[in-house]
Amino acid sequence: MKSKTEYLTINTKTRYAFVNITSQVRKIIKESEVKEGLCLVNSMHISSSVFINDDETGLHNDFEKWLDRLAPHDPINQYRHNDTGEDNADAHLKRQIMGREVIVAITDRELDFGSWEQIFYGEFDGQRNKKILIKVIGE
Amino acid sequence: MKSKTEYLTINTKTRYAFVNITSQVRKIIKESEVKEGLCLVNSMHISSSVFINDDETGLHNDFEKWLDRLAPHDPINQYRHNDTGEDNADAHLKRQIMGREVIVAITDRELDFGSWEQIFYGEFDGQRNKKILIKVIGE
Amino acid sequence: MKSKTEYLTINTKTRYAFVNITSQVRKIIKESEVKEGLCLVNSMHISSSVFINDDETGLHNDFEKWLDRLAPHDPINQYRHNDTGEDNADAHLKRQIMGREVIVAITDRELDFGSWEQIFYGEFDGQRNKKILIKVIGE
């Protein structure tokens, strides 16, 4: 069995952001020399997500508006978590809807993807360094 | 390490549908001859889901009504994604709640499942061919 | 390839509960003697979740209130699933938001985690025995 572990660091300029990390994941899969296997991609933080969806700006705007309707940031005193001095309780909720991780298949040395699948890092409490873990196993 | 990769194609008669694919996944696990391992089952599309829940018609009706309350299809002009000429922005949102993929354990050559666990393909923008990837790894 | 499979049994005193199972998962990873690999942790039930988030009581209160806003328990007759004699349709919905499973990386024999990541069993229909599956594969 082969394995390869890499970490990406992302620091978004805005509180909310969706960053396409597909090309970085492809590069790590290629370097791993795994022919058949699985690749885990997860946020190492609890106020952000890794998910797969469309690389379309309008949809990203829809996600942002929708998530803020389901788990509003304001008023921050609606959340008991924010009594600790934080203001990011909503980010912990949003991340549950969008998910922590994806597992993707590697088939014949390539990311085995549908036509429109793209991997995103979803940030809900940005403007500081955040880490993503990428782990390939297979042979 | 052994691996096996298969693809299912599903074309639902309705826009929304929940299709039980557990028996197909069991068959592929058996054919893989993997004794101990993991099996990834994911939608290769971004407007549908693979998830595990109950095979009960009333619950599926509840899911459909609930998802349409959280992410309504109409009016379609509430979503910027639909400005591109699509009408399926809601399907991209619904799929985030229900998830893209499941990973299931294979123990002693069998799907290692609780009594009520069943694997579903959840369609939110159907009536066309969609693909599901099933990848087994283990030994 | 090495593998190890274990099952935890949890019986919560309340209908809703969040139970930190990180130390049990770490122990099983250590016992597996896997140096590089993946570990699946999933609920074997369809009315509960395994997820990763913060071990902070205020946030857990926020989760409970938020999930009951998105998928209310009462009135139970709003759900067709409850026509079967059950009263837990809401638990099946809540579990979709929080997720069934997590996959965590094992790097150099350790759980490869961010500073604040903790693994929780999320119960939405408790007061009876429920099982969690933990499966390690790697080498």
Side-chain angles (χ1 to χ4, degrees):
Chain A
M1 208 196 77
K2 283 177 181 165
S3 72
K4 181 175 176 69
T5 311
E6 291 283 341
Y7 308 90
L8 304 179
T9 301
I10 289 186
N11 191 327
T12 62
K13 288 180 183 169
T14 50
R15 173 176 279 268
Y16 281 15
F18 299 112
V19 183
N20 190 330
I21 58 172
T22 314
S23 62
Q24 288 103 310
V25 175
R26 270 190 219 280
K27 183 169 173 283
I28 291 161
I29 287 172
K30 190 174 181 185
E31 289 168 0
S32 75
E33 299 185 343
V34 164
K35 192 179 172 202
E36 299 291 328
L38 296 176
C39 175
L40 167 68
V41 186
N42 71 262
S43 173
M44 300 185 80
H45 298 263
I46 53 185
S47 55
S48 59
S49 290
V50 171
F51 68 95
I52 289 175
N53 215 302
D54 200 359
D55 197 357
E56 199 278 302
T57 308
L59 183 66
H60 297 182
N61 291 342
D62 295 331
F63 275 137
E64 185 172 331
K65 186 179 161 191
W66 179 63
L67 290 167
D68 215 58
R69 180 165 64 79
L70 296 185
H73 181 266
D74 295 309
I76 63 169
N77 69 3
Q78 73 188 291
Y79 300 111
R80 297 290 60 77
H81 181 57
N82 292 338
D83 295 345
T84 64
E86 297 278 358
D87 68 350
N88 68 358
D90 65 303
H92 292 275
L93 307 185
K94 285 166 172 138
R95 113 72 164 258
Q96 289 307 126
I97 290 177
M98 298 303 277
R100 167 189 180 258
E101 78 221 2
V102 296
I103 313 286
V104 296
I106 303 164
T107 304
D108 201 15
R109 303 189 196 282
E110 302 282 349
L111 195 50
D112 197 344
F113 255 18
S115 306
W116 299 99
E117 291 191 281
Q118 295 285 313
I119 308 172
F120 289 90
Y121 174 70
E123 179 63 83
F124 310 115
D125 184 29
Q127 300 172 308
R128 52 197 173 104
N129 280 355
K130 297 284 196 87
K131 281 173 73 187
I132 298 165
L133 181 153
I134 300 168
K135 181 136 201 155
V136 180
I137 70 165
E139 72 169 9
Chain B
M1 207 196 78
K2 283 177 182 165
S3 71
K4 183 174 174 70
T5 311
E6 292 281 342
Y7 308 90
L8 305 179
T9 300
I10 289 186
N11 190 327
T12 62
K13 288 179 184 169
T14 49
R15 173 176 279 268
Y16 280 15
F18 298 112
V19 182
N20 190 330
I21 58 171
T22 314
S23 63
Q24 287 103 311
V25 174
R26 271 191 218 280
K27 183 169 172 282
I28 291 162
I29 287 171
K30 191 175 181 183
E31 290 168 358
S32 75
E33 299 185 345
V34 164
K35 193 180 172 200
E36 299 292 327
L38 297 176
C39 175
L40 167 68
V41 187
N42 71 262
S43 173
M44 299 186 79
H45 298 263
I46 52 185
S47 54
S48 60
S49 289
V50 170
F51 67 96
I52 289 174
N53 216 301
D54 201 358
D55 197 356
E56 199 278 302
T57 308
L59 183 66
H60 297 181
N61 292 341
D62 295 332
F63 275 137
E64 186 172 330
K65 187 179 160 190
W66 179 64
L67 290 167
D68 215 58
R69 181 165 64 78
L70 295 185
H73 181 265
D74 296 309
I76 63 169
N77 69 3
Q78 74 189 291
Y79 300 112
R80 296 291 60 76
H81 181 57
N82 292 339
D83 295 344
T84 64
E86 298 277 359
D87 68 349
N88 68 358
D90 65 303
H92 291 276
L93 307 186
K94 286 167 172 138
R95 112 73 164 256
Q96 288 307 126
I97 290 178
M98 299 302 277
R100 168 189 179 257
E101 78 220 2
V102 297
I103 313 286
V104 296
I106 302 164
T107 304
D108 201 15
R109 301 187 197 282
E110 301 282 350
L111 195 50
D112 197 344
F113 255 18
S115 307
W116 300 99
E117 291 190 282
Q118 295 285 313
I119 308 172
F120 289 91
Y121 174 69
E123 179 62 83
F124 310 116
D125 183 29
Q127 299 172 308
R128 51 195 173 106
N129 279 356
K130 299 283 197 88
K131 282 173 72 187
I132 298 166
L133 181 154
I134 300 169
K135 182 137 201 154
V136 181
I137 70 165
E139 73 168 10
Chain C
M1 207 197 77
K2 283 178 182 164
S3 71
K4 182 175 175 70
T5 311
E6 292 282 340
Y7 309 89
L8 304 179
T9 300
I10 289 186
N11 190 327
T12 63
K13 288 179 184 169
T14 48
R15 173 176 278 268
Y16 280 15
F18 299 112
V19 182
N20 191 331
I21 58 171
T22 315
S23 63
Q24 287 104 310
V25 175
R26 270 190 219 279
K27 183 169 172 284
I28 291 161
I29 288 172
K30 190 174 180 183
E31 289 168 1
S32 75
E33 299 186 344
V34 164
K35 192 179 172 202
E36 299 291 328
L38 297 176
C39 175
L40 167 68
V41 187
N42 71 262
S43 173
M44 299 185 80
H45 299 262
I46 52 183
S47 54
S48 60
S49 291
V50 170
F51 67 96
I52 289 176
N53 216 302
D54 201 359
D55 196 357
E56 200 278 303
T57 308
L59 183 66
H60 297 182
N61 292 342
D62 295 331
F63 275 136
E64 186 172 332
K65 186 179 161 190
W66 179 63
L67 290 167
D68 215 56
R69 181 165 64 78
L70 295 184
H73 181 265
D74 295 310
I76 64 169
N77 69 4
Q78 75 189 290
Y79 300 111
R80 297 289 62 75
H81 181 57
N82 292 338
D83 295 344
T84 65
E86 299 278 358
D87 68 350
N88 68 357
D90 65 304
H92 291 276
L93 307 186
K94 286 166 172 138
R95 112 75 163 258
Q96 289 307 126
I97 290 177
M98 299 302 277
R100 168 190 179 256
E101 77 220 4
V102 297
I103 313 285
V104 296
I106 302 164
T107 304
D108 202 15
R109 302 187 198 283
E110 301 281 349
L111 195 50
D112 196 344
F113 255 19
S115 306
W116 300 98
E117 290 191 282
Q118 295 285 313
I119 307 171
F120 289 90
Y121 174 71
E123 179 63 83
F124 310 116
D125 184 28
Q127 300 172 310
R128 52 197 173 105
N129 280 355
K130 298 282 196 89
K131 282 173 72 185
I132 298 165
L133 180 154
I134 300 169
K135 181 134 201 155
V136 181
I137 70 164
E139 74 168 9

